[in-house]
Amino acid sequence: MATKIPNAIFNNGKSIPMIGLGTWGSPPGQVTQAVKDAIDIGYRHIDCAHVYQNEHEVGDGVEAKIKDGTVKREDIFITSKLWNTFHRPELVEGACRNTLKNLKLEYLDLYLIHWPVGYKEGDDLFPMQPDGKTFIFSDADYVDTWKAMEKLVDDGLVKNIGLSNFNRKQIQRVLDVARIKPVTNQIENHAYLHQAKLCAFCAEKGIIVTAYSPLASPARPWVKDGDIVLLEDEKLKSIATKHSRDPAQILIRYQIQQGHVVIPKSVTKARIASNFDVFSFELDAEDLKLLASLERNERICPEFGSFGHPHHPFENEEC
């Protein structure tokens, strides 16, 4: 019998499956099969983004499972994100339509502003200053971008809109101008980075937290020898042993029990299945307390090249 996936309920009454397949950093040529495997295993939520440069592979996987009758389009929840080079309001619709074309879809279930920072408009996704360290910024303001996002809902191109990597002050700026309220803020969240104040703020405003890098992204491209690996934490391992589970399953379950949507990434079928097998056990109060104690305020995705941007979410932040 197929696993019943719990849903989180957005502030507009619509719902999102609480676990999804992440696709950031998935190797080219492996994403289509990963998506097909995930859907066969029971996933009904796929998270992608223009900047990942694999949306066409996601689209091929989803199309294949619709064509073979495994799912209907309305059974699948697809999220994508507006990249930083498309923040000018007049560029938003074109960027969304390009994503829809790549995904072979007529609408998105959720579209997010990927970061509050805007980069120089053009074909280069990462326009770089001569120093090779800092991106060339755009002066586009995300509150103007938000108004263009709202029009996508009006036009039926997307069902829900939200934010990603926004801090509390930035969310409030959006709420102050919003005709359509953001339904989620997708943020880095794991046992070494809880972002408790930001999560509490989102809850207060009726905005669901979506947790990316819930395993602290051990395969991130910029990992260095000597970096602490969350999955190898002895306290985490003790909880995994207690429940006869692996550490990744504990971390994914931890997000779900906090009420967060969670999007672990893998292209390995066995790991995709294991990450999904988190609904037949529950962490107890002692487990939750121990996981909370692992806080290191250690950010995996600081967006180094954007420091100095007036809208950088983590510079001089009070998260």
Side-chain angles (χ1 to χ4, degrees):
M1 184 176 176
T3 299
K4 176 72 173 175
I5 310 169
N7 288 331
I9 307 301
F10 289 145
N11 52 46
N12 59 14
K14 297 176 183 177
S15 62
I16 179 173
M18 289 197 73
I19 189 168
L21 178 72
T23 59
W24 172 59
S26 295
Q30 299 181 37
V31 180
T32 295
Q33 188 60 49
V35 169
K36 291 194 289 187
D37 288 341
I39 292 172
D40 285 339
I41 287 163
Y43 287 76
R44 293 296 179 264
H45 172 192
I46 312 294
D47 182 89
C48 48
H50 175 76
V51 77
Y52 303 164
Q53 300 183 67
N54 57 17
E55 286 185 327
H56 58 292
E57 291 192 51
V58 174
D60 288 344
V62 171
E63 180 185 52
K65 300 318 294 181
I66 291 174
K67 282 186 174 179
D68 73 9
T70 303
V71 290
K72 299 175 182 176
R73 169 63 185 98
E74 57 268 27
D75 298 329
I76 300 288
F77 191 102
I78 306 292
T79 300
S80 190
K81 309 176 192 80
L82 178 80
W83 184 237
N84 305 349
T85 51
F86 302 103
H87 277 207
R88 290 197 181 282
E90 64 271 20
L91 301 178
V92 171
E93 181 180 334
C96 181
R97 288 189 181 277
N98 188 49
T99 276
L100 288 170
K101 179 181 177 182
N102 288 334
L103 290 169
K104 302 180 181 179
L105 299 176
E106 293 183 358
Y107 66 89
L108 290 170
D109 296 280
L110 177 61
Y111 200 41
L112 310 176
I113 301 179
H114 203 148
W115 289 87
V117 295
Y119 298 162
K120 178 186 175 184
E121 298 75 19
D123 294 332
D124 189 351
L125 295 176
F126 298 96
M128 191 66 71
Q129 299 277 6
D131 64 8
K133 297 179 181 178
T134 307
F135 300 125
I136 304 172
F137 301 147
S138 167
D139 61 0
D141 190 324
Y142 56 81
V143 294
D144 299 321
T145 311
W146 185 255
K147 294 170 186 174
M149 296 281 284
E150 291 176 325
K151 187 173 184 301
L152 299 177
V153 179
D154 297 338
D155 293 343
L157 297 177
V158 304
K159 302 289 188 182
N160 305 280
I161 50 177
L163 308 170
S164 183
N165 300 299
F166 276 58
N167 66 30
R168 287 180 290 164
K169 290 180 180 178
Q170 292 168 335
I171 294 169
Q172 189 59 58
R173 281 192 75 218
V174 172
L175 289 173
D176 288 344
V177 303
R179 176 171 54 86
I180 300 174
K181 189 175 177 179
V183 295
T184 191
N185 187 27
Q186 185 178 125
I187 58 173
E188 180 183 344
N189 203 280
H190 47 76
Y192 282 170
L193 183 75
H194 288 84
Q195 305 208 72
K197 290 182 180 178
L198 177 57
C199 291
F201 178 84
C202 288
E204 177 191 332
K205 301 296 181 180
I207 296 170
I208 295 288
V209 167
T210 299
Y212 74 75
S213 296
L215 314 182
S217 196
R220 61 192 182 278
W222 50 87
V223 69
K224 304 187 299 294
D225 288 343
D227 281 356
I228 297 168
V229 179
L230 172 57
L231 289 171
E232 296 177 4
D233 189 286
E234 292 302 325
K235 291 180 179 178
L236 171 62
K237 285 182 177 179
S238 72
I239 299 172
T241 299
K242 171 181 170 181
H243 290 277
S244 300
R245 296 285 173 161
D246 66 38
Q249 291 172 315
I250 299 300
L251 293 172
I252 293 165
R253 180 71 200 180
Y254 184 42
Q255 294 296 332
I256 290 169
Q257 285 189 222
Q258 292 178 88
H260 300 167
V261 174
V262 60
I263 47 171
K265 182 270 293 184
S266 181
V267 294
T268 306
K269 186 173 184 178
R271 175 56 62 188
I272 293 170
S274 176
N275 288 347
F276 190 71
D277 183 19
V278 292
F279 299 107
S280 59
F281 74 100
E282 193 164 320
L283 301 172
D284 61 31
E286 182 183 352
D287 300 328
L288 297 175
K289 184 177 179 180
L290 187 55
L291 287 164
S293 76
L294 300 184
E295 176 68 78
R296 292 174 177 266
N297 198 30
E298 188 166 300
R299 194 178 292 282
I300 301 299
C301 300
E303 197 68 357
F304 295 109
S306 298
F307 279 99
H309 194 294
H311 298 317
H312 194 292
F314 315 138
E315 199 167 0
N316 304 315
E317 68 169 332
E318 294 179 7
C319 65

